[in-house]
Amino acid sequence: MNIEKIKTSAQKYLPEQVDLLKRFVTVDSESKYVEGNRQVVDMARDILAGIPGVTMEEIFFEGTGSHLIARIKPENPKGKIILNSHMDTVFPVGYAAKYPPFIDDENWLHGLGVGDCKAGFAVSAYAVKIAAEQGLLPNKEIVMLYSCDEEIGSITSREVFAKEAPGTECAYIFESAAKTDKGYGVVTARRGVILGALDIKGVEAHAGGAYLVGHSATKELAHKILKLYSFNDYERKIYYNVAPISGGRPNGIVAGDAHMEFCCAGLPDNSSSFAEAEANIESLAAHNEDPVCETTVSHRILFPALEKNEAGHQAFTIAEKAGKLLGITMEEIAEPTATDANWFYYYGVPAVDAFGPVESGMHTTEEKVYIPTIAEKTALFATMLGIMAEEG
């Protein structure tokens, strides 16, 4: 394996990657925006078509869009790996035109969704392209899976993950880089998240003439909010948060209804911590300060936890070896946030994350990617593929 040749190719393709990202971020890609998803998928297909041996398919979900799968399958593969990033963003339709891409004086490429997670596509696709051109692909089935609903909890893409999971040795997730004091982190553990909603039915009454006849749903909601926040465990870094809230009609009427949405983030495992959080949430409906009020509560898993495991550690060691060859220090780390790595683990696939470039301002209109790290991380994963090929 010729490391200098890999690095040279990564630099050669960098202008193409930057041009691709500029085009990506001019398209509105909000989750469930099918028209924008179609445009992004077409751009991605054009790039993937240039990789030798690739076949492609799309799995479409009405009202969500298409998940794109590119596959390289040798005649007698020994194993299977998945490469993943998502193509949807958190920005409403119309924002792409308001915040067009540009490169600043410090070599950062600005654009909505550029780091989360369009650059993940650019790095993964071109890393495979380089490895294919240089004969470095391992004798494994390589599945490049680009989903379109990660930002809303991978509601439909989970089905695709579950379908591809059997026989998969590891999933490599191309969320943005985790920068450490020494170099880059490979994320082998992430925490889980629960989303929920709570509704209260009270009794309306005139706030002046019949106040005592009423039973305020908003007052009851205030008790529920305080109770939910009381579950925060700062030592274990498990956090409950409420937003948004609503309720009642004009302020001259005792509120007959109230609503809140909430999340519980930072759940470290899929057994005891999830069970504890679910019990806390369900307890909100067990008792009301005002017994006339009625409370209903619902919740769902947004992301399960990615628990640290030996197979994930072994995948990290490949990145560590590649880093040494490139002069980059790689460290195994844990992160509190959740990504699709969590869902792959949930379906039985060891997963490692943060193979994208360095970004800043995620989920804000200041989102940007540091351009030199696009080439750096592309070279890293192309080298990892070469190591997989050498080590079988």
Side-chain angles (χ1 to χ4, degrees), residues 26-38:
T26 61
V27 177
D28 287 309
S29 303
E30 183 182 14
S31 307
K32 293 189 174 183
Y33 182 50
V34 176
E35 181 180 332
N37 165 251
R38 179 70 264 158

Side-chain angles (χ1 to χ4, degrees), residues 206-287:
H206 191 285
Y211 184 79
L212 296 179
V213 176
H215 293 270
S216 174
T218 54
K219 180 181 178 182
E220 189 64 38
L221 181 67
H223 290 293
K224 302 301 184 187
I225 292 172
L226 292 174
K227 184 174 181 179
L228 189 75
Y229 278 115
S230 75
F231 298 138
N232 277 334
D233 190 326
Y234 298 103
E235 185 175 338
R236 290 191 292 159
K237 299 180 180 179
I238 297 174
Y239 306 122
Y240 293 79
N241 187 63
V242 176
I245 60 175
S246 61
R249 296 195 293 126
N251 54 22
I253 301 172
V254 175
D257 63 86
H259 173 81
M260 76 179 196
E261 296 175 23
F262 61 88
C263 75
C264 174
L267 300 170
D269 63 78
N270 293 309
S271 52
S272 60
S273 67
F274 263 86
E276 177 186 339
E278 289 169 345
N280 287 341
I281 291 166
E282 289 162 7
S283 74
L284 296 172
H287 169 76

